[in-house]
Amino acid sequence: MYKGFVNQPDWDALDWTEKDFLTIGQFGSEQILYLLDQALEMKGLTKKGIPHPFLKGKVLGMIFEKASTRTRVSFEVGMKQLGGDAIFLSAKDIQLGRGETIEDTAKVLSRYVDGLMIRTFAHTTIETFAQNASVPVINGLTDLHHPTQVMADLLTIYEHKGRLSGLKMCYIGDGNNNMCHSLLEGAAAVGMDLTVASPQGYEPNLQIIEQAKKTGQNNGCQILFTHSPEEAMEKADVVVTDVWTSMGQEEEADERKKAFHAFQVNRELCAFAQPDFIFLHCLPAHRGEEVTSEIIDGPHSVVFDEAENRLHAQKAILKVLMQ
Ligand code: CP
Ligand code: NVA
């Protein structure tokens, strides 16, 4: 058992009752730290080439209503490394795409597979899906949340900085997207300060940021919002951004380019951060828009460690939910 997280309770006594993994906010700090602890263990086993077939014979069904490189491949490889298998289901090819209800789809698939991962649009779709599935359901991205990505982000920050609580993170860009919302919940859960900077009209979901502020207060950190990217960047240890136009918003791309113009993560803006800051981006990235190539391809960037950690963080989630 990895003992890197100090002052944590006895992990073996952790009471895990949640069936699904839909948001980070649905879990307490101990559960999030436990999953990260498990992820470090998974990564260690993988790197040493030690077999770890915790999900031998189990199958994960994966429904995608949007494109994916990292999520699809890391879940599929993760299941195989855990001794199980995964089935890719494009929403276009299954009856869901022809109007079969989400309720019926969830009930039917639950009779075949041991777990389901879904990438969809409305967050309510995955909530309905989870309510009707008798097997664990994992959120592979909705318009509102991207929790498995943020688990990988927290793991990456921990590996590079040696801690989570006490650090300052800033998120520059679209405050009202899935990444920002899951980062708000993730930072608050692990006691990391987070300041979000977004242009007028692109502020985070009010309910999510208000809850994150409350959780943060309980966990000794500050969750803040500003319209000034310089203010958010001030002395940041961790700098995060995401695309200005998320999947499904393509029609707004031109309007968004104008609105986000002053929110590019570049050398001038990063001068406000700590000299040893790390840069994260969930990818795919648009160099020259939300981030310059100098930053994302430069010495502060940890984006490929972050992408790799999707695999390890998700294996922990799969093991805890499906074993
Ligand atoms: N970061 C991420 O979720 O990437 P994909 O869209 O490629 O899965
Ligand atoms: N916010 C982005 C994340 C992609 C992984 C999107 O939803 O398109």
Side-chain angles (χ1 to χ4, degrees):
M1 180 64 65
Y2 186 82
K3 296 286 182 194
F5 294 110
V6 287
N7 298 329
Q8 292 306 317
D10 179 1
W11 294 127
D12 296 334
L14 197 75
D15 186 19
W16 197 278
T17 51
E18 305 273 341
K19 175 174 84 73
D20 309 306
F21 188 87
L22 303 190
T23 66
I24 293 196
Q26 78 182 92
F27 299 104
S29 306
E30 287 169 12
Q31 289 171 307
I32 295 302
L33 293 175
Y34 174 69
L35 285 173
L36 291 171
D37 182 83
Q38 290 282 305
L40 284 164
E41 200 165 287
M42 291 292 157
K43 188 166 182 174
L45 293 171
T46 311
K47 295 285 176 191
K48 286 184 201 130
I50 301 170
H52 43 284
F54 295 113
L55 298 183
K56 195 171 185 317
K58 303 226 169 168
V59 177
L60 178 75
M62 308 190 298
I63 302 177
F64 284 88
E65 293 195 313
K66 295 178 180 177
S68 170
T69 299
R70 281 145 288 268
T71 306
R72 175 179 174 178
V73 178
S74 57
F75 266 106
E76 197 163 326
V77 170
M79 277 306 292
K80 287 178 199 277
Q81 289 182 355
L82 287 165
D85 216 332
I87 303 174
F88 171 75
L89 300 160
S90 164
K92 284 198 291 276
D93 301 331
I94 58 175
Q95 298 287 9
L96 184 67
R98 290 184 58 248
E100 183 165 15
T101 66
I102 201 84
E103 288 89 343
D104 287 358
T105 307
K107 284 176 188 158
V108 170
L109 291 178
S110 295
R111 300 288 178 114
Y112 304 134
V113 299
D114 306 284
L116 286 159
M117 188 239 85
I118 177 163
R119 167 168 286 197
T120 186
F121 292 86
H123 192 73
T124 49
T125 302
I126 199 169
E127 288 175 340
T128 307
F129 196 75
Q131 279 156 16
N132 287 277
S134 56
V135 298
V137 174
I138 299 172
N139 182 353
L141 181 149
T142 63
D143 289 346
L144 207 59
H145 294 277
H146 197 3
T148 60
Q149 176 68 54
V150 169
M151 291 306 291
D153 292 7
L154 294 175
L155 181 61
T156 310
I157 297 165
Y158 182 78
E159 286 180 327
H160 281 272
K161 292 288 175 194
R163 65 197 169 120
L164 291 170
S165 72
L167 292 173
K168 182 192 168 180
M169 171 156 65
C170 72
Y171 173 90
I172 312 286
D174 187 0
N176 192 25
N177 82 3
N178 39 28
M179 276 306 296
C180 184
H181 294 150
S182 289
L183 283 166
L184 282 164
E185 295 187 344
V190 300
M192 195 190 303
D193 288 344
L194 168 60
T195 304
V196 172
S198 313
Q200 209 92 38
Y202 296 93
E203 295 84 2
N205 174 294
L206 199 62
Q207 214 182 325
I208 294 174
I209 192 165
E210 288 308 318
Q211 183 55 51
K213 282 181 183 173
K214 279 188 211 144
T215 308
Q217 234 167 18
N218 292 336
N219 293 331
C221 66
Q222 267 200 318
I223 305 292
L224 300 170
F225 177 81
T226 171
H227 289 295
S228 157
E230 292 81 10
E231 190 186 318
M233 190 67 91
E234 187 71 34
K235 294 202 166 59
D237 302 291
V238 181
V239 175
V240 192
T241 189
D242 186 17
V243 290
W244 292 340
T245 301
S246 285
M247 289 180 277
Q249 300 172 332
E250 288 76 9
E251 281 174 15
E252 299 170 23
D254 289 343
E255 187 188 322
R256 285 171 170 267
K257 266 187 209 168
K258 285 187 207 125
F260 286 98
H261 184 72
F263 289 74
Q264 183 187 65
V265 176
N266 53 32
R267 195 203 316 182
E268 292 73 35
L269 189 57
C270 290
F272 290 87
Q274 293 285 9
D276 62 347
F277 78 91
I278 54 172
F279 172 77
L280 281 86
H281 188 311
C282 66
L283 306 176
H286 293 92
R287 288 167 174 78
E289 289 187 22
E290 74 271 11
V291 61
T292 56
S293 145
E294 186 181 9
I295 296 296
I296 196 169
D297 300 316
H300 296 276
S301 176
V302 296
V303 298
F304 298 109
D305 291 342
E306 182 187 2
E308 177 188 331
N309 280 336
R310 291 294 301 276
L311 174 67
H312 310 299
Q314 286 158 195
K315 280 168 70 182
I317 296 166
L318 290 165
K319 174 179 177 255
V320 169
L321 259 50
M322 286 172 67
Q323 202 179 15

Short mmCIF file of all heavy atoms in Angstrom, two decimals, residues 43 47 69-70 149 152-153 156 159-160 279-285 287 293 295-298 300-312:
data_model
loop_
_atom_site.label_atom_id
_atom_site.label_comp_id
_atom_site.label_asym_id
_atom_site.label_seq_id
_atom_site.Cartn_x
_atom_site.Cartn_y
_atom_site.Cartn_z
N LYS A 43 -0.07 2.07 -11.26
CA LYS A 43 1.01 2.54 -12.13
C LYS A 43 2.30 1.79 -11.80
O LYS A 43 3.02 1.38 -12.71
CB LYS A 43 1.19 4.05 -11.94
CG LYS A 43 2.15 4.67 -12.94
CD LYS A 43 2.05 6.18 -12.95
CE LYS A 43 2.99 6.79 -13.98
NZ LYS A 43 2.81 8.25 -14.11
N LYS A 47 4.35 -0.47 -14.45
CA LYS A 47 5.73 -0.12 -14.82
C LYS A 47 6.69 -1.28 -14.55
O LYS A 47 7.67 -1.47 -15.26
CB LYS A 47 6.19 1.13 -14.06
CG LYS A 47 5.43 2.38 -14.41
CD LYS A 47 5.84 2.92 -15.77
CE LYS A 47 5.01 4.13 -16.16
NZ LYS A 47 5.17 4.53 -17.54
N THR A 69 -9.94 10.07 -28.42
CA THR A 69 -8.70 9.31 -28.60
C THR A 69 -8.28 8.72 -27.25
O THR A 69 -8.23 7.50 -27.07
CB THR A 69 -7.57 10.22 -29.14
OG1 THR A 69 -7.98 10.74 -30.40
CG2 THR A 69 -6.26 9.45 -29.30
N ARG A 70 -7.98 9.61 -26.30
CA ARG A 70 -7.45 9.19 -25.00
C ARG A 70 -8.42 8.33 -24.20
O ARG A 70 -8.06 7.28 -23.67
CB ARG A 70 -7.07 10.42 -24.15
CG ARG A 70 -5.75 11.05 -24.52
CD ARG A 70 -5.82 12.54 -24.36
NE ARG A 70 -6.64 13.08 -25.42
CZ ARG A 70 -6.16 13.50 -26.60
NH1 ARG A 70 -4.88 13.52 -26.80
NH2 ARG A 70 -6.96 13.94 -27.55
N GLN A 149 -10.75 12.60 -16.30
CA GLN A 149 -9.61 13.43 -16.71
C GLN A 149 -9.02 14.12 -15.49
O GLN A 149 -7.79 14.18 -15.34
CB GLN A 149 -10.07 14.47 -17.74
CG GLN A 149 -8.98 15.44 -18.15
CD GLN A 149 -7.87 14.77 -18.96
OE1 GLN A 149 -8.13 14.13 -19.96
NE2 GLN A 149 -6.62 14.92 -18.51
N ALA A 152 -6.81 12.01 -13.39
CA ALA A 152 -5.48 11.91 -14.00
C ALA A 152 -4.68 13.19 -13.75
O ALA A 152 -3.46 13.14 -13.51
CB ALA A 152 -5.61 11.65 -15.50
N ASP A 153 -5.35 14.32 -13.79
CA ASP A 153 -4.68 15.61 -13.54
C ASP A 153 -4.14 15.66 -12.11
O ASP A 153 -2.99 16.06 -11.88
CB ASP A 153 -5.65 16.78 -13.75
CG ASP A 153 -6.06 16.94 -15.21
OD1 ASP A 153 -5.70 16.07 -16.03
OD2 ASP A 153 -6.74 17.93 -15.53
N THR A 156 -1.12 13.51 -11.75
CA THR A 156 0.04 14.14 -12.40
C THR A 156 0.62 15.26 -11.53
O THR A 156 1.85 15.36 -11.36
CB THR A 156 -0.39 14.71 -13.77
OG1 THR A 156 -1.09 13.69 -14.48
CG2 THR A 156 0.81 15.17 -14.58
N GLU A 159 2.45 13.73 -8.60
CA GLU A 159 3.75 13.16 -8.98
C GLU A 159 4.81 14.25 -9.21
O GLU A 159 5.97 14.07 -8.87
CB GLU A 159 3.60 12.34 -10.27
CG GLU A 159 2.90 11.03 -10.04
CD GLU A 159 2.75 10.22 -11.32
OE1 GLU A 159 2.60 10.81 -12.41
OE2 GLU A 159 2.78 8.99 -11.22
N HIS A 160 4.40 15.37 -9.78
CA HIS A 160 5.37 16.42 -10.09
C HIS A 160 5.66 17.34 -8.92
O HIS A 160 6.74 17.90 -8.82
CB HIS A 160 4.92 17.23 -11.31
CG HIS A 160 5.19 16.52 -12.60
ND1 HIS A 160 6.39 16.63 -13.27
CD2 HIS A 160 4.45 15.64 -13.31
CE1 HIS A 160 6.36 15.87 -14.35
NE2 HIS A 160 5.19 15.26 -14.40
N PHE A 279 2.45 23.00 -16.40
CA PHE A 279 1.31 23.31 -17.27
C PHE A 279 0.57 22.03 -17.64
O PHE A 279 1.18 21.05 -18.08
CB PHE A 279 1.80 24.01 -18.56
CG PHE A 279 0.71 24.17 -19.57
CD1 PHE A 279 -0.26 25.17 -19.42
CD2 PHE A 279 0.60 23.31 -20.66
CE1 PHE A 279 -1.30 25.30 -20.34
CE2 PHE A 279 -0.44 23.44 -21.58
CZ PHE A 279 -1.39 24.44 -21.42
N LEU A 280 -0.75 22.05 -17.48
CA LEU A 280 -1.59 20.91 -17.83
C LEU A 280 -2.67 21.30 -18.85
O LEU A 280 -3.19 22.42 -18.81
CB LEU A 280 -2.30 20.35 -16.59
CG LEU A 280 -1.49 19.45 -15.66
CD1 LEU A 280 -0.74 20.28 -14.64
CD2 LEU A 280 -2.37 18.45 -14.93
N HIS A 281 -2.98 20.36 -19.70
CA HIS A 281 -4.06 20.53 -20.70
C HIS A 281 -4.57 19.12 -20.98
O HIS A 281 -3.78 18.22 -21.27
CB HIS A 281 -3.49 21.16 -21.96
CG HIS A 281 -4.51 21.58 -22.99
ND1 HIS A 281 -5.53 20.75 -23.42
CD2 HIS A 281 -4.66 22.74 -23.67
CE1 HIS A 281 -6.26 21.39 -24.32
NE2 HIS A 281 -5.77 22.61 -24.49
N CYS A 282 -5.89 18.92 -20.94
CA CYS A 282 -6.42 17.57 -21.10
C CYS A 282 -6.20 17.02 -22.51
O CYS A 282 -6.24 15.81 -22.71
CB CYS A 282 -7.90 17.55 -20.73
SG CYS A 282 -8.94 18.52 -21.84
N LEU A 283 -5.97 17.92 -23.48
CA LEU A 283 -5.82 17.56 -24.90
C LEU A 283 -7.16 17.01 -25.44
O LEU A 283 -7.89 16.40 -24.67
CB LEU A 283 -4.69 16.54 -25.12
CG LEU A 283 -3.32 16.92 -24.55
CD1 LEU A 283 -2.33 15.76 -24.78
CD2 LEU A 283 -2.77 18.19 -25.18
N PRO A 284 -7.46 17.17 -26.69
CA PRO A 284 -6.64 17.79 -27.73
C PRO A 284 -6.52 19.30 -27.55
O PRO A 284 -7.44 19.94 -27.04
CB PRO A 284 -7.40 17.45 -29.01
CG PRO A 284 -8.81 17.24 -28.59
CD PRO A 284 -8.76 16.69 -27.21
N ALA A 285 -5.36 19.85 -27.99
CA ALA A 285 -5.07 21.27 -27.82
C ALA A 285 -5.09 21.98 -29.17
O ALA A 285 -4.88 21.34 -30.21
CB ALA A 285 -3.69 21.44 -27.19
N ARG A 287 -2.91 24.77 -30.57
CA ARG A 287 -1.75 25.66 -30.41
C ARG A 287 -2.02 26.97 -31.13
O ARG A 287 -2.53 26.96 -32.26
CB ARG A 287 -0.49 24.98 -30.95
CG ARG A 287 -0.01 23.84 -30.06
CD ARG A 287 1.04 22.99 -30.76
NE ARG A 287 1.61 21.97 -29.86
CZ ARG A 287 1.00 20.83 -29.53
NH1 ARG A 287 -0.20 20.55 -29.99
NH2 ARG A 287 1.59 19.97 -28.70
N SER A 293 2.53 27.30 -28.54
CA SER A 293 3.36 26.11 -28.65
C SER A 293 4.56 26.22 -27.71
O SER A 293 5.02 25.22 -27.13
CB SER A 293 3.76 25.97 -30.12
OG SER A 293 5.03 25.48 -30.23
N ILE A 295 4.63 27.24 -24.74
CA ILE A 295 4.27 26.74 -23.40
C ILE A 295 3.93 25.25 -23.43
O ILE A 295 4.49 24.46 -22.67
CB ILE A 295 3.08 27.55 -22.81
CG1 ILE A 295 3.49 29.03 -22.61
CG2 ILE A 295 2.59 26.93 -21.50
CD1 ILE A 295 4.60 29.29 -21.61
N ILE A 296 3.06 24.84 -24.33
CA ILE A 296 2.62 23.43 -24.29
C ILE A 296 3.74 22.47 -24.71
O ILE A 296 3.78 21.32 -24.25
CB ILE A 296 1.32 23.19 -25.11
CG1 ILE A 296 0.69 21.84 -24.73
CG2 ILE A 296 1.54 23.29 -26.61
CD1 ILE A 296 -0.70 21.62 -25.26
N ASP A 297 4.65 22.94 -25.53
CA ASP A 297 5.77 22.09 -25.94
C ASP A 297 7.05 22.45 -25.19
O ASP A 297 8.14 21.97 -25.53
CB ASP A 297 6.00 22.22 -27.46
CG ASP A 297 4.75 21.80 -28.25
OD1 ASP A 297 4.16 20.77 -27.90
OD2 ASP A 297 4.35 22.54 -29.18
N GLY A 298 6.94 23.30 -24.19
CA GLY A 298 8.11 23.78 -23.45
C GLY A 298 8.39 23.00 -22.17
O GLY A 298 7.70 22.03 -21.86
N HIS A 300 7.90 23.48 -19.00
CA HIS A 300 6.94 23.44 -17.88
C HIS A 300 5.79 22.47 -18.14
O HIS A 300 5.03 22.13 -17.23
CB HIS A 300 6.36 24.84 -17.64
CG HIS A 300 7.37 25.83 -17.20
ND1 HIS A 300 7.76 25.96 -15.88
CD2 HIS A 300 8.13 26.71 -17.89
CE1 HIS A 300 8.69 26.90 -15.79
NE2 HIS A 300 8.94 27.37 -17.00
N SER A 301 5.65 22.04 -19.38
CA SER A 301 4.48 21.24 -19.76
C SER A 301 4.60 19.78 -19.31
O SER A 301 5.66 19.15 -19.48
CB SER A 301 4.33 21.30 -21.29
OG SER A 301 3.27 20.47 -21.69
N VAL A 302 3.53 19.25 -18.74
CA VAL A 302 3.49 17.84 -18.33
C VAL A 302 2.31 17.13 -19.01
O VAL A 302 1.78 16.16 -18.49
CB VAL A 302 3.42 17.70 -16.78
CG1 VAL A 302 4.68 18.27 -16.14
CG2 VAL A 302 2.19 18.38 -16.18
N VAL A 303 1.91 17.64 -20.18
CA VAL A 303 0.67 17.15 -20.79
C VAL A 303 0.71 15.69 -21.22
O VAL A 303 -0.32 15.02 -21.23
CB VAL A 303 0.20 18.04 -21.98
CG1 VAL A 303 -0.10 19.46 -21.53
CG2 VAL A 303 1.21 18.05 -23.11
N PHE A 304 1.89 15.17 -21.52
CA PHE A 304 1.92 13.76 -21.94
C PHE A 304 1.96 12.81 -20.74
O PHE A 304 1.43 11.70 -20.81
CB PHE A 304 3.04 13.52 -22.97
CG PHE A 304 2.81 14.34 -24.22
CD1 PHE A 304 3.61 15.43 -24.52
CD2 PHE A 304 1.72 14.09 -25.04
CE1 PHE A 304 3.36 16.23 -25.64
CE2 PHE A 304 1.45 14.87 -26.15
CZ PHE A 304 2.27 15.95 -26.46
N ASP A 305 2.55 13.28 -19.62
CA ASP A 305 2.42 12.50 -18.37
C ASP A 305 0.94 12.47 -17.98
O ASP A 305 0.41 11.45 -17.53
CB ASP A 305 3.20 13.18 -17.23
CG ASP A 305 4.70 13.11 -17.45
OD1 ASP A 305 5.14 12.27 -18.25
OD2 ASP A 305 5.43 13.90 -16.81
N GLU A 306 0.31 13.60 -18.15
CA GLU A 306 -1.12 13.74 -17.82
C GLU A 306 -1.95 12.78 -18.67
O GLU A 306 -2.83 12.09 -18.17
CB GLU A 306 -1.51 15.21 -18.09
CG GLU A 306 -2.94 15.58 -17.78
CD GLU A 306 -3.26 17.03 -18.24
OE1 GLU A 306 -2.38 17.69 -18.83
OE2 GLU A 306 -4.40 17.46 -18.01
N ALA A 307 -1.65 12.73 -19.97
CA ALA A 307 -2.40 11.83 -20.86
C ALA A 307 -2.15 10.37 -20.45
O ALA A 307 -3.09 9.56 -20.39
CB ALA A 307 -1.97 12.06 -22.31
N GLU A 308 -0.91 10.03 -20.13
CA GLU A 308 -0.61 8.66 -19.70
C GLU A 308 -1.39 8.31 -18.43
O GLU A 308 -1.91 7.20 -18.29
CB GLU A 308 0.89 8.47 -19.42
CG GLU A 308 1.18 7.07 -18.90
CD GLU A 308 2.59 6.81 -18.41
OE1 GLU A 308 3.54 7.44 -18.92
OE2 GLU A 308 2.73 5.94 -17.52
N ASN A 309 -1.47 9.27 -17.54
CA ASN A 309 -2.11 9.00 -16.25
C ASN A 309 -3.60 8.72 -16.35
O ASN A 309 -4.21 8.22 -15.40
CB ASN A 309 -1.82 10.12 -15.26
CG ASN A 309 -0.43 9.95 -14.65
OD1 ASN A 309 0.10 8.84 -14.60
ND2 ASN A 309 0.15 11.04 -14.16
N ARG A 310 -4.21 9.02 -17.50
CA ARG A 310 -5.60 8.60 -17.70
C ARG A 310 -5.69 7.09 -17.46
O ARG A 310 -6.62 6.60 -16.82
CB ARG A 310 -6.07 8.91 -19.13
CG ARG A 310 -6.23 10.38 -19.47
CD ARG A 310 -7.35 11.03 -18.68
NE ARG A 310 -8.64 10.43 -18.89
CZ ARG A 310 -9.46 10.72 -19.90
NH1 ARG A 310 -9.12 11.62 -20.78
NH2 ARG A 310 -10.65 10.12 -20.01
N LEU A 311 -4.75 6.37 -18.03
CA LEU A 311 -4.73 4.91 -17.93
C LEU A 311 -4.70 4.46 -16.46
O LEU A 311 -5.53 3.65 -16.03
CB LEU A 311 -3.51 4.37 -18.69
CG LEU A 311 -3.23 2.88 -18.60
CD1 LEU A 311 -4.32 2.08 -19.29
CD2 LEU A 311 -1.88 2.56 -19.23
N HIS A 312 -3.75 4.99 -15.72
CA HIS A 312 -3.56 4.53 -14.34
C HIS A 312 -4.71 4.96 -13.42
O HIS A 312 -5.19 4.18 -12.60
CB HIS A 312 -2.22 5.03 -13.81
CG HIS A 312 -1.08 4.75 -14.76
ND1 HIS A 312 -0.74 3.46 -15.12
CD2 HIS A 312 -0.25 5.57 -15.45
CE1 HIS A 312 0.28 3.51 -15.98
NE2 HIS A 312 0.59 4.78 -16.19
#
